[in-house]
Amino acid sequence: MPAACDSVLEDIEDIVSAQDLKPHERQSVRKNVFPKVRKRSSHKNIQTDDDPPSDSIIPGAQKIWIRTWGCSHNNSDGEYMAGQLAAYGYKITENSAEADLWLLNSCTVKNPAEDHFRNSIKKAQEGNKKVVLAGCVPQAQPRQDYLKGLSIIGVQQIDRVVEVVEETIKGHSVRLLGQKKDNGKRLGGARLDLPKIRKNPLIEIISINTGCLNACTYCKTKHARGDLASYPIEELVDRAKQSFQEGVCEIWLTSEDTGAYGRDIGTDLPTLLWKLVEAIPEGAMLRLGMTNPPYILEHLEEMAKILNHPRVYAFLHIPVQSASDSVLMDMKREYCVADFKRVVDFLKEKVPGITIATDIICGFPGEMDEDFQETMKLVEQYRFPSLFINQFYPRPGTPAAKMHQVPAAVKKQRTKDLSQLFHSYNPYDHKIGERQRVLVTEESFDSNYYVAHNRFYEQVLVPKDPLLMGKMVEVNIYEAGKHFMKGQPVSDARVYTASITRPLAKGEVSGLTEEFRHAPQNGSNWKAHPSAEIPVKTLFSSRMALQLLWPQEGLKILSISLALLAVLVTFYYGGM
């Protein structure tokens, strides 16, 4: 007997053999066919109304809880993902217990952050929650055992979060980890005009570029964010203008290294900043993000001018990491301590009162006692008002993880010694009695005060008067602590309002373009925008079907398709 694959079917009709009944013969024997009533089964494997099949789930009706760890860039990504999900009808909740799905946006800088991320995944699974993972951890190492079988949205794919969430809710596992490219050139990431829900409606976080030009031996973020890719100046300016039109009064520029901005697209950071300054209304402020010493060195004169602008905070975050050149060399930081001091000294001279924040890693592999003492001397010399102290954690897959490690007890002691030095001085005591202009933007953690910042981005606590929120006011400083000052508003002083536009309410979606205004809201009937184009390859995807046709038009097409199929079957088997 020949195998089934020995003959080739030229057409579907070849399946019909010579012994089969002809169509007219089938018609003649129909009178002898009796319908058989199938008994309804009571087996447990029948899905109930409480457990519908995945294809019957209506996306957009679920509640989603979003948790973000890490830097302001990561927080901006989280805001964009929340905005898109809300625009498509999902309810963003702050109650993790009531959520149907947890979106966990991770940070890979230090081990403790990844430990929190891993524990949250376990907790979600124990609570039978659907899970979508985002951020730098799964982007850098998507094959880790604890990530198996889970949906992942890559750091450059956040504009597709709706697709990933929808498929995950239906029980599928989806992973989108690719890079955004235009004619082969890597882009900064997803569009800047996507909807977002700002954590603070008064503060807009704008990522000006992603990735960096360095190859620091301890850094895991490089594995996730990659090489430098900058957004065009016009797109960034447009985003800033839109934010001010929505009541924002403070903009944060963020990236893995703001100083490197534009090197991949033929421009630079000062050029961008001068364009942005033109768009800042009176009563609003701009804060610059972290920049590494090598790239700011080239623009010191222009940066000093910009930082002296009345609508730009005289604040800059410049990580030094260590005051030992040998340690910096092992870190591959591409500068020496003298470079860092040159930047700080120049800015302190040209921008009086400027706040310089910095980072220090304690116990990097190979760090000797004399290396650490050099770092202590640097802190003693400059008495940084804002100092981020980090005990070294070897990150898997980085060159530093393979180096000879400093004993844990030594790392811990050095971290303690540096912390004690930092807390031995009070940077704001001399400012008691000053009259300062501050911008009020948020509430303190203890809910007892409103939080404002002065010209140097120093924190000033003011009374909780709702009329002050989002305003620039003058205060008299009457008390100072290690990390803050307290100010009393001056009664006869002028109050500046950054915008005549009312700020968005907390949880309100920002930047709803025409594309998203036609999105489904909790499964309601709607039609696509007339200009919408549907790629053939996605025409029958569940997202497109629901997005463009749900529910009435979809039922019509389904009915028509079934009717056509019935006619074809009847024609063939009925001899019509």
Side-chain angles (χ1 to χ4, degrees), residues 115-127:
D115 291 340
H116 287 304
F117 174 62
R118 185 188 295 109
N119 292 337
S120 294
I121 294 174
K122 182 179 179 181
K123 186 176 180 180
Q125 292 171 328
E126 291 173 348

Side-chain angles (χ1 to χ4, degrees), residues 61-217:
Q62 291 76 23
K63 295 180 180 179
I64 298 175
W65 179 65
I66 301 176
R67 172 70 192 276
T68 294
W69 292 267
C71 65
S72 54
H73 192 165
N74 227 33
N75 277 274
S76 177
D77 287 351
E79 291 180 348
Y80 273 122
M81 289 189 284
Q84 292 172 84
L85 291 167
Y88 275 89
Y90 292 100
K91 177 177 173 55
I92 308 301
T93 178
E94 296 184 358
N95 185 344
S96 61
E98 72 174 13
D100 301 291
L101 180 142
W102 287 13
L103 174 54
L104 305 176
N105 189 19
S106 61
C107 171
T108 191
V109 172
K110 294 187 289 187
N111 288 6
E114 184 171 351
D115 291 340
H116 287 304
F117 174 62
R118 185 188 295 109
N119 292 337
S120 294
I121 294 174
K122 182 179 179 181
K123 186 176 180 180
Q125 292 171 328
E126 291 173 348
N128 294 320
K129 306 290 185 183
K130 301 289 186 180
V131 183
V132 171
L133 309 178
C136 292
V137 171
Q139 179 74 53
Q141 286 186 300
R143 294 183 178 87
Q144 293 188 83
D145 288 341
Y146 73 93
L147 304 180
K148 286 182 178 178
L150 298 176
S151 291
I152 295 175
I153 180 79
V155 295
Q156 284 213 324
Q157 298 291 330
I158 61 172
D159 55 338
R160 301 181 66 185
V161 66
V162 174
E163 298 173 59
V164 177
V165 165
E166 176 183 317
E167 294 304 318
T168 303
I169 284 175
K170 294 196 298 184
H172 305 148
S173 177
V174 182
R175 295 192 167 199
L176 299 178
L177 295 165
Q179 302 292 329
K180 296 286 186 190
K181 294 184 178 181
D182 182 18
N183 293 325
K185 182 177 177 60
R186 185 167 177 265
L187 300 177
R191 291 172 11 218
L192 293 173
D193 62 349
L194 293 170
K196 74 187 310 185
I197 296 179
R198 298 186 183 95
K199 184 177 179 181
N200 185 337
L202 297 174
I203 298 175
E204 167 72 1
I205 307 172
I206 302 179
S207 302
I208 63 174
N209 56 266
T210 189
C212 68
L213 295 173
N214 300 327
C216 300
T217 56

